[in-house]
């Protein structure tokens, strides 16, 4: 058992989603008291988002994890105004949240070339500082990665998420007939004939108690936060982690997954969701699927059969429920179409809401502007008073 856990740790070590870094802005340059010259300001330290960057690459390239900007130039006779020190840039992947040593959020980087100042350079020597330079800001920062994807796959181990990802995208995740195949998040892209691309994140299988950090718990639940929609993947025959754990039907699996998301962060349940019922190639799969559909359509008729701690406050309403087989390819085409349709509908709703908000703001602005204008009567009476 010990050997097994060591292997898991080594394999998981290939993926890094948080780093602690030391940063320091450059010191300012010396002033020139006799001629009133000012030293150059020290360089600043910036964190900059890059599409093709990973935290693992950052750690490998800068093993010391220290980032110090350049010092400002001293004032001298030939250049009374010293030049600014060289800025230091820390390249990071998109989806990075930056916090300080006390856990206070400094900012987030979600788009290419987004940048955040994390350590400011010191002022150069000038009259106010008695021509002595100031040191740059020191700061320890934490980089926390949360994957950005259109769709996040959610399911218990061995539900077939990795097989599904390999079917719908060009990703090549590890696939095997044991529970914890996926030990790190995998990203894939669904390619459509009109060149539309949709990104999909396969997250390691959750287990009961993931919200309490059991299994890989918070390590991967956080990656669901930035996905636009969720795709639940369940085994039509149900799930049992091991011979020591309780067997769960497909319906129970859905309830438990919903409960884990709710207990970790309630807002996750407000995300649009789809359901892929996998392994429809197995014997009696059709009968089990019909039973599941009946339970999903009439959940209140069955909830009394389960323990209260299993039942979420609100049951997830799936926009689409698609029976599939990641092995034979059954239903994969329909699933891809449903994913796109759901995302397009969600985008249209967001655009409509944005335009309505803009229109409302414009009307409010016009109303305020109009109310501030003097009326014709006011102008006329003013003329009468003057004459």
């Amino acid at each position: 058992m010990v050997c097994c856990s060591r292997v898991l740790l080594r394999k998981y070590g290939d993926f890094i989603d948080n780093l602690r870094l030391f940063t320091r802005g450059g010191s300012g340059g010396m002033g020139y008291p006799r001629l009133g010259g000012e030293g150059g300001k020290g360089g600043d330290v910036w964190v900059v988002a890059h599409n093709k960057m990973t935290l693992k690459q950052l750690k490998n390239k800068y093993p010391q994890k220290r980032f110090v900007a350049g010092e400002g130039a001293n004032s001298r006779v030939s250049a009374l105004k010293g030049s600014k020190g060289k800025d230091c840039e820390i390249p990071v992947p998109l989806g990075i949240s930056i916090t300080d040593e006390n856990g206070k959020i400094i900012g987030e980087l979600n788009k290419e070339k987004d940048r955040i100042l994390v350590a400011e350079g010191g002022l150069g020597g000038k009259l106010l500082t008695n021509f002595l330079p100031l040191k740059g800001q020191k700061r320890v920062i934490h980089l926390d990665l949360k994957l950005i994807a259109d769709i996040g796959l959610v399911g218990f181990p061995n539900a077939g998420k990795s097989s599904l990802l390999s079917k719908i995208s060009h990703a090549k995740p590890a696939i095997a007939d044991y529970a914890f195949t996926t030990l790190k998040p995998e990203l894939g892209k669904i390619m459509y004939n009109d060149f539309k691309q949709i990104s999909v994140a396969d997250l390691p299988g959750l287990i009961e108690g993931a919200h309490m950090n059991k299994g890989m718990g918070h390590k991967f639940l956080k990656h669901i936060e930035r996905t636009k929609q969720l795709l639940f993947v369940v085994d039509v025959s149900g799930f049992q982690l091991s011979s020591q754990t309780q067997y769960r039907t497909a319906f129970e699996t859905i309830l438990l997954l919903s409960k884990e998301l709710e207990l970790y962060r309630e807002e996750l349940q407000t995300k649009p969701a789809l359901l892929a019922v996998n392994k429809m190639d197995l014997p009696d799969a059709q009968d089990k699927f019909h039973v599941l559909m009946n339970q999903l359509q009439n959940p209140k008729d069955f909830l009394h059969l389960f323990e209260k701690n299993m039942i979420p406050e609100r049951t997830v309403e799936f926009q689409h429920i698609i029976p599939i087989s990641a092995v034979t390819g059954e239903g994969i085409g329909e699933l891809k179409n449903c994913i796109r349709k759901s995302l397009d509908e969600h985008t249209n709703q967001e655009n409509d809401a944005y335009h309505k908000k803009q229109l409302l703001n414009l009307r409010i602005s016009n109303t305020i502007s109009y109310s501030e204008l003097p009326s014709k009567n006011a102008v006329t009476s003013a003329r009468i008073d003057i004459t």
Side-chain angles (χ1 to χ4, degrees), residues 251 255 290-306 315-318 321:
F251 184 60
L255 290 179
H290 289 312
V291 171
L292 174 61
M293 287 301 294
N294 183 37
Q295 291 170 321
L296 290 171
Q297 288 163 1
N298 309 285
K300 291 181 181 177
D301 295 344
F302 301 93
L303 292 180
H304 69 278
L305 301 172
F306 306 110
T315 53
V316 177
E317 293 183 11
F318 297 108
I321 300 174

Side-chain angles (χ1 to χ4, degrees), residues 18-56:
N18 60 80
L19 271 182
R20 181 176 182 270
L21 308 176
F22 171 82
T23 65
R24 189 178 73 209
S27 298
M30 287 288 293
Y32 202 126
R34 192 159 59 87
L35 298 176
E38 295 184 1
K41 181 180 178 295
D44 303 317
V45 181
W46 297 81
V47 178
V48 185
H50 293 277
N51 265 324
K52 295 183 179 179
M53 193 67 192
T54 67
L55 289 183
K56 187 171 187 297

